[in-house]
Amino acid sequence: MTIIVDQPQFENEGQAQIPNSGEKSELVLDGGFCIPHANSFGHNFRDYDVVSERQESVENFYRVNHINQTVDFVKKMREEYEKLDKIEMSIWESCELLNQIVDESDPDIDDPQIEHLLQTAEAIRKDYPNQDWLHLTALIHDLGKVLLHPSFGELPQWAVVGDTFPVGCAFDKSIVHSKYFVENPDYNNPTYNSKYGIYSKGCGLENVMMSWGHDDYMYLVAKENRTTLPSAGLFIIRYHSFYALHRSGAYTHLMNEEDVENLKWLKIFNKYDLYSKSKVRVDIEKVKPYYESLINKYFPAKLRW
């Protein structure tokens, strides 16, 4: 069962009223969180054009990604991985598994993924101490990257990480390195290359196929293992890499009312997901008991993956 939480009502860009346990408390959107001036390499965050040691590899990643993420590919991946027959393990075990993984699509950091998970979760925990579901969502939002591990089929990076986008309708120009979509087989398919494609206005993002990757996989894992995270948590997990939507405002014509409300939470989350990436380490053993208590609250001890 999934619990739907009350949504934050924004009175202006700087603050939100976020209910907790039936009570309303004022929380500033910036929450005291200081946005760093540069990423781990000394460049602006999400700058895909700056000349750097990672720029060439990141652009090549998106070239391959944009060519291969088709409707047929997404259907094939969803059919294969929604079986959840790869392995059984706990949430924390999957966090530790990510110690072996570096995201090749990320221009901002090249550290193991568990560092990013804890940096994001701890930054949110500091500013939003009463929203424990948001702390846990931050911790697990990237766990779908276990798809890169041999136990899960060792999928190529282009099929696991990077910005996500809808397939089955026109590719928006706001998507990173969108120029490479011209080589995608769906690009010239009249069934898929119009504004709505196979969808309809206000159909809801739940009914839209997204490019396959860790977001959609972790969403499936959480949902099918009957997490009790609120719908906003599941929305964050599934669409946190959908930058064309939450940064550029594309594809809003496909959203329904619930999407509109949950997008407010995603925009809060995104600042921490993006700007908490740094070389500052979190003491894992110190914070582990807290996150294990949240895992026990919102998930079963073992999950099917």
Side-chain angles (χ1 to χ4, degrees), residues 10-241:
F10 293 92
E11 296 179 356
N12 54 53
E13 289 185 347
Q15 65 183 36
Q17 295 290 333
I18 301 182
N20 178 55
S21 302
E23 297 180 357
K24 291 187 176 181
S25 59
E26 183 175 279
L27 288 174
V28 179
L29 186 59
D30 284 339
F33 179 70
C34 296
I35 297 177
H37 295 295
N39 63 21
S40 297
F41 302 103
H43 305 300
N44 292 331
F45 285 89
R46 285 184 60 82
D47 189 337
Y48 291 91
D49 297 316
V50 67
V51 177
S52 72
E53 59 190 76
R54 285 176 64 81
Q55 187 273 336
E56 184 176 350
S57 64
V58 170
E59 180 167 349
N60 185 62
F61 161 87
Y62 276 108
R63 182 185 66 82
V64 178
N65 172 278
H66 292 353
I67 293 172
N68 290 285
Q69 288 279 0
T70 63
V71 169
D72 288 344
F73 174 74
V74 171
K75 287 181 176 178
K76 179 182 178 181
M77 290 295 99
R78 287 185 66 89
E79 182 179 356
E80 169 63 24
Y81 284 94
E82 67 184 4
K83 299 173 186 176
L84 301 182
D85 60 356
K86 306 304 178 189
I87 195 173
E88 285 194 7
M89 64 178 176
S90 69
I91 290 288
W92 194 263
E93 286 172 333
S94 65
C95 289
E96 293 177 332
L97 198 60
L98 289 193
N99 261 331
Q100 306 171 32
I101 293 171
V102 173
D103 184 342
E104 293 179 0
S105 73
D106 193 338
D108 297 325
I109 197 167
D110 58 358
D111 289 327
Q113 290 297 295
I114 193 169
E115 295 290 344
H116 168 55
L117 298 181
L118 287 170
Q119 287 169 351
T120 306
E122 284 295 282
I124 291 178
R125 181 183 175 190
K126 178 181 179 181
D127 289 350
Y128 295 83
N130 297 322
Q131 308 297 324
D132 67 355
W133 66 270
L134 193 56
H135 311 164
L136 182 58
T137 298
L139 179 72
I140 70 172
H141 75 280
D142 272 348
L143 291 188
K145 291 179 182 180
V146 294
L147 288 172
L148 295 167
H149 194 273
S151 299
F152 293 82
E154 201 169 7
L155 292 181
Q157 290 257 345
W158 65 262
V160 179
V161 299
D163 287 12
T164 58
F165 46 85
V167 296
C169 61
F171 301 115
D172 193 81
K173 291 183 178 180
S174 66
I175 300 169
V176 173
H177 293 306
S178 61
K179 61 186 177 184
Y180 294 116
F181 282 121
V182 296
E183 300 179 62
N184 185 300
D186 292 349
Y187 185 82
N188 292 312
N189 187 328
T191 303
Y192 303 139
N193 66 6
S194 64
K195 178 179 179 179
Y196 290 100
I198 59 176
Y199 311 114
S200 59
K201 183 176 181 178
C203 63
L205 294 181
E206 172 69 22
N207 299 306
V208 174
M209 281 189 292
M210 299 295 294
S211 55
W212 178 253
H214 71 280
D215 308 59
D216 222 23
Y217 179 55
M218 189 59 210
Y219 166 78
L220 288 173
V221 169
K223 184 178 179 181
E224 296 305 315
N225 281 280
R226 298 188 178 184
T227 180
T228 55
L229 283 174
S231 66
L234 290 174
F235 189 90
I236 289 170
I237 291 170
R238 193 177 194 189
Y239 303 113
H240 69 271
S241 300

Side-chain angles (χ1 to χ4, degrees), residues 290-303:
Y290 173 70
Y291 289 103
E292 285 186 323
S293 71
L294 299 188
I295 292 168
N296 293 334
K297 179 178 179 179
Y298 290 104
F299 281 94
K302 293 285 185 179
L303 281 69

